Amino acid sequence: MIDIDVLLAWGAAYKKVSAGEIIFKEGQPCSFYYQLVTGKVKWVNIDDEGKNCIHAIVEPGESFGEFPLFDDGPFAATAVADEDSLIIRLHKPVFLQLMQDNPVIHFAFTQMLSKRLRYKFAVIKSFAAHCPEEMISTLLNQLKSEKKNFCGDCNQLNLTRQQIADMTGLRVETVIRTMRTMHEKGDLVISRGKVYCKDMIQRITA
C-alpha cells in the first residue's frame, strides 16, 4: 500500500516473524501500522475450540490490521504468520501524521477500505442465500478482481480446500463437493488436485 522507502523515511522498522507466530491478537490495542514485505500472513478470528475464520491471507505489499488506526478500537482479528515472513511497521501516531501530510496515500487507503467493506457486504449476501456455490463464487470473484492468491501465469488458485473452508465458514467436505460440481459446470478447472480459474465467475455478479 505504501512505498517502503516512504515508510523507512518516516521511521518504520522491519520485523521478522516465524511461521505460526502471532503478530497481534484480537482485542489488543493497536500501536503500529503493519505491511507485509515477504511471506504470508493470515488475518483470522479464532473461536474457543480453536477453529479459524480466515478474513484474508495477506500477500507481500499489502497492509493488515488497519481499522484500529482510524477508530482507536482494539484489533478485530488476530494476525498470524502463515510462513516465515518479514513485515515493516510504523508507530500509529507517526502513521496518522503521514496520512495527514500525504492526501494521495490517504485517498488510496480510503479506496482500499471501501473495497474491503463492499466485499464484506457481498459475503453477507452470499451467506444469507445458504448456497455453498454462491459463497465460494463470491470468494473467488473477489480474489480474482484483486489478483490475489492466484498465479498470474497459469491462473492456479493458491489456496487449499481447508483455507477456502475457513474463509467461507463451510465444512471442508462441502468445499470439496461444491468445487467438484463447479468443475463439472465449467466454472473452474480441477486438474491433478489443483484448481484453475480461467475467467471471472459471472453468475453472482450480474
Side-chain angles (χ1 to χ4, degrees):
M1 286 300 302
I2 302 177
D3 186 271
I4 289 179
D5 289 337
V6 172
L7 291 172
L8 292 173
W10 279 75
Y14 291 107
K15 180 178 175 62
K16 292 182 179 180
V17 290
S18 302
E21 183 175 344
I22 294 176
I23 301 167
F24 54 75
K25 287 185 177 181
E26 176 183 355
Q28 287 182 338
C30 174
S31 300
F32 295 95
Y33 163 78
Y34 293 91
Q35 186 167 303
L36 184 62
V37 180
T38 61
K40 285 186 179 180
V41 169
K42 293 190 299 185
W43 203 5
V44 301
N45 288 117
I46 306 172
D47 65 18
D48 293 337
E49 297 179 354
K51 183 178 179 181
N52 289 347
C53 172
I54 301 178
H55 295 286
I57 297 180
V58 184
E59 296 188 330
E62 293 185 309
S63 61
F64 56 99
E66 307 93 343
F67 298 117
L69 294 168
F70 297 101
D71 68 6
D72 289 327
F75 286 114
T78 298
V80 183
D82 204 35
E83 57 187 49
D84 291 348
S85 302
L86 179 66
I87 60 176
I88 188 168
R89 62 184 192 175
L90 181 65
H91 281 286
K92 178 179 177 179
V94 182
F95 169 80
L96 294 176
Q97 188 62 52
L98 170 61
M99 292 289 101
Q100 292 180 15
D101 292 354
N102 293 270
V104 172
I105 296 176
H106 199 169
F107 182 69
F109 253 84
T110 301
Q111 285 185 312
M112 179 270 293
L113 293 176
S114 296
K115 287 180 180 179
R116 288 185 181 175
L117 183 59
R118 182 178 294 277
Y119 169 59
K120 288 298 182 183
F121 272 97
V123 168
I124 293 171
K125 180 181 178 181
S126 70
F127 282 9
H130 302 291
C131 175
E133 192 168 333
E134 185 168 338
M135 295 164 70
I136 294 173
S137 295
T138 298
L139 173 64
L140 297 185
N141 272 321
Q142 178 68 16
L143 297 179
K144 284 288 286 183
S145 67
E146 294 184 357
K147 299 180 180 179
K148 282 188 58 178
N149 306 123
F150 277 92
C151 173
D153 296 324
C154 66
N155 283 313
Q156 179 186 331
L157 177 63
N158 296 322
L159 293 174
T160 66
R161 303 327 192 255
Q162 184 62 61
Q163 288 172 324
I164 294 172
D166 291 341
M167 296 175 83
T168 57
L170 298 169
R171 293 172 58 86
V172 68
E173 295 83 1
T174 302
V175 170
I176 293 170
R177 183 174 62 253
T178 302
M179 295 186 78
R180 188 180 300 119
T181 299
M182 295 172 71
H183 166 74
E184 293 170 354
K185 291 181 177 180
D187 291 332
L188 49 80
V189 175
I190 300 176
S191 177
R192 296 181 180 178
K194 305 295 184 181
V195 178
Y196 301 85
C197 293
K198 295 182 179 180
D199 302 300
M200 294 290 290
I201 299 171
Q202 299 294 336
R203 183 183 308 103
I204 66 169
T205 59

